[in-house]
Amino acid sequence: MCPSRRTCRKCWQRSSAERSTLLGRTGWPLTTILTNIDALCVAPRNIERQDYFGSFLELLEKQPEVTECRAVEEMLVPDVKMNFDGIKIDLLFARLALKEIPDNFDLREDMLLKNLDPKLMRSLNGCRATDEILRLVPNIDNFRLALRSTKLWAKKHGIYSTSLGYFGGVSWAMLVARTCQLPNVVPVFLKRPDTVNLGFQVWDPRVNVQGRFDLMPIITPAYPQQNSTFHVSSSTRKIMLNEFNRGMQITDEIMLGKAGWDKLFEAPSFFFKYRYFIVLLVTSNNTDDLLEWCGLVESKIRYLIQNLERILHINLAHVHIKVLETTRDGMKTEARHVRRKQLNQYLDPNLLKRERKNQRLLRRRKCANDLLRRN
């Protein structure tokens, strides 16, 4: 270790290459065109968090395959976001009190969490939950196929985003693993909570008052048990339940031979579904600042939704999960209230044309189905 107690560039290169392990947080090969990769970098005790977000980040930025690389340290689970050869990757960091990390290292041991700070614990918990899920499902191949389809459906229908109040990858994985219908007020448990007590707060509404207000609890199976859907709001809950019901209706039609599987994965029309919109314009003077600025604004949108839900005259606040690029200068954020006919000032005309065409097709199908039912 360096005399200054900080890891220099050479030490980091040697330690990260030989003594740290990159672990897939999802744990299953689900990479599609629409899927990001969540990964966990486990480092030995001589690598500190400031080294990871400092010298290691500089090394990543120099790689020719890496673009849009930035550190997000202020999040609940800090990570490094980047685009590696066209694939978006969220790389988390965990430092363990070990001299070295062997290749066959098992993170399921609960005592590894002893004396860890909450941020490191949360970074490890995603990978630990994944390992537990794979251990608890009876047929991994069927689970992978079902989860891949479910995640594709969720992204197509705009209900896949933890930061915006929808379900994230781990939550969808636990729902698929559970594979049973439960009332919304009952939390989803894959197994009974562990009796381990290392001082971390676990999800227990009997003790923790905050847990009593969770709308759709889905509890991670690994210690410490956490609610993976604490971001869900009243609006996102309504939106997801509507999509669940709509997906169930389409699935019934598919099972009866009235429709094909393509219909299930058709993206609904968002911009022609409502009359009034709030457009958030996030602008910056350069690309690097825009990435960080846009990420920060996106992480705060859920607070805007919570404030809108308190207004009596607003029944639903529906967030579009995709960032739509435009060309404006100046590092600032603007919120504008616009009508549907004004969206052409902010969106690509081709996108609006596709949405309008899809909306017309949906109306024709609905009319045709109504006629068939009457006959």
Side-chain angles (χ1 to χ4, degrees):
M1 191 169 179
C2 296
S4 62
R5 297 180 59 84
R6 291 291 307 278
T7 307
C8 66
R9 184 180 300 271
K10 292 183 179 179
C11 291
W12 171 263
Q13 289 174 325
R14 183 175 65 253
S15 298
S16 61
E18 299 176 3
R19 300 177 183 176
S20 65
T21 306
L22 191 64
L23 299 174
R25 182 178 164 193
T26 51
W28 37 77
L30 295 171
T31 304
T32 64
I33 297 176
L34 299 173
T35 303
N36 301 345
I37 293 180
D38 292 340
L40 172 67
C41 179
V42 183
R45 62 193 179 197
N46 62 308
I47 304 295
E48 299 182 6
R49 183 185 287 118
Q50 54 264 40
D51 302 316
Y52 179 77
F53 290 106
S55 58
F56 179 63
L57 185 65
E58 295 175 2
L59 290 174
L60 285 177
E61 292 173 341
K62 293 181 179 180
Q63 304 305 312
E65 302 89 353
V66 175
T67 58
E68 301 179 5
C69 185
R70 66 190 188 278
V72 186
E73 300 183 57
E74 66 277 357
M75 295 288 288
L76 194 64
V77 183
D79 66 351
V80 170
K81 298 181 181 294
M82 60 180 169
N83 192 317
F84 186 87
D85 202 15
I87 301 174
K88 292 184 178 180
I89 297 178
D90 291 347
L91 187 58
L92 286 74
F93 172 75
R95 171 178 174 265
L96 300 180
L98 300 175
K99 185 178 180 181
E100 59 182 18
I101 308 296
D103 292 337
N104 58 348
F105 191 65
D106 189 0
L107 291 175
R108 289 182 296 176
E109 177 58 47
D110 292 330
M111 294 307 295
L112 290 173
L113 303 179
K114 190 174 182 180
N115 298 326
L116 288 185
D117 63 65
K119 286 188 176 182
L120 290 178
M121 178 274 295
R122 285 190 288 265
S123 297
L124 281 171
N125 207 33
C127 190
R128 285 165 49 82
T130 296
D131 293 340
E132 280 295 309
I133 291 172
L134 291 176
R135 188 179 66 85
L136 293 169
V137 293
N139 190 313
I140 294 180
D141 291 335
N142 291 343
F143 167 73
R144 286 172 172 166
L145 179 60
L147 181 57
R148 175 179 291 179
S149 303
T150 303
K151 292 175 71 173
L152 177 61
W153 171 82
K155 291 186 177 183
K156 286 284 188 179
H157 288 256
I159 54 174
Y160 188 102
S161 174
T162 303
S163 61
L164 296 180
Y166 302 105
F167 290 171
V170 174
S171 300
W172 287 113
M174 287 188 286
L175 284 181
V176 173
R178 191 69 170 100
T179 59
C180 68
Q181 301 293 327
L182 291 173
N184 293 321
V185 295
V186 178
V188 175
F189 284 100
L190 291 181
K191 68 171 190 177
R192 297 184 66 86
D194 297 323
T195 57
V196 181
N197 185 7
L198 296 177
F200 293 107
Q201 188 179 63
V202 299
W203 188 86
D204 188 350
R206 298 170 301 178
V207 179
N208 185 8
V209 178
Q210 186 178 0
R212 302 174 190 175
F213 299 97
D214 292 337
L215 299 178
M216 303 178 75
I218 300 178
I219 313 305
T220 56
Y223 176 84
Q225 287 76 22
Q226 305 287 318
N227 177 22
S228 64
T229 59
F230 67 94
H231 282 166
V232 173
S233 66
S234 299
S235 292
T236 54
R237 179 177 179 270
K238 290 179 184 177
I239 294 165
M240 287 189 288
L241 290 178
N242 289 336
E243 292 297 334
F244 293 161
N245 292 328
R246 182 169 176 267
M248 190 65 188
Q249 294 174 1
I250 296 175
T251 304
D252 290 339
E253 294 179 7
I254 295 172
M255 293 293 101
L256 295 174
K258 297 181 179 180
W261 284 104
D262 291 342
K263 184 178 179 181
L264 182 64
F265 298 99
E266 289 179 354
S269 177
F270 178 84
F271 296 105
F272 288 87
K273 189 176 182 180
Y274 306 104
R275 292 184 60 187
Y276 301 101
F277 298 84
I278 294 178
V279 178
L280 289 179
L281 297 175
V282 182
T283 58
S284 176
N285 293 322
N286 57 72
T287 305
D288 294 336
D289 291 341
L290 181 62
L291 287 172
E292 295 186 14
W293 186 228
C294 187
L296 178 62
V297 172
E298 183 177 344
S299 67
K300 305 298 182 182
I301 290 179
R302 63 189 181 94
Y303 298 111
L304 172 62
I305 299 303
Q306 292 173 3
N307 290 329
L308 291 175
E309 290 175 344
R310 297 189 182 101
I311 301 175
L312 295 177
H313 302 290
I314 296 180
N315 295 324
L316 187 72
H318 191 170
V319 185
H320 193 272
I321 64 172
K322 292 184 179 179
V323 178
L324 304 173
E325 295 184 0
T326 184
T327 55
R328 293 176 184 269
D329 296 327
M331 191 167 181
K332 57 183 179 179
T333 304
E334 297 180 48
R336 298 182 181 179
H337 171 249
V338 300
R339 294 175 179 267
R340 184 195 301 161
K341 61 183 180 181
Q342 298 173 293
L343 288 176
N344 57 358
Q345 302 175 21
Y346 307 96
L347 302 178
D348 184 2
N350 294 326
L351 173 62
L352 294 176
K353 287 181 181 178
R354 289 196 300 269
E355 288 263 329
R356 187 180 293 109
K357 183 178 179 180
N358 292 338
Q359 186 71 5
R360 290 173 180 171
L361 289 174
L362 290 174
R363 288 177 180 174
R364 291 174 184 173
R365 287 179 180 175
K366 186 177 180 181
C367 293
N369 291 333
D370 292 341
L371 289 174
L372 289 174
R373 290 172 184 172
R374 292 174 185 174
N375 297 332

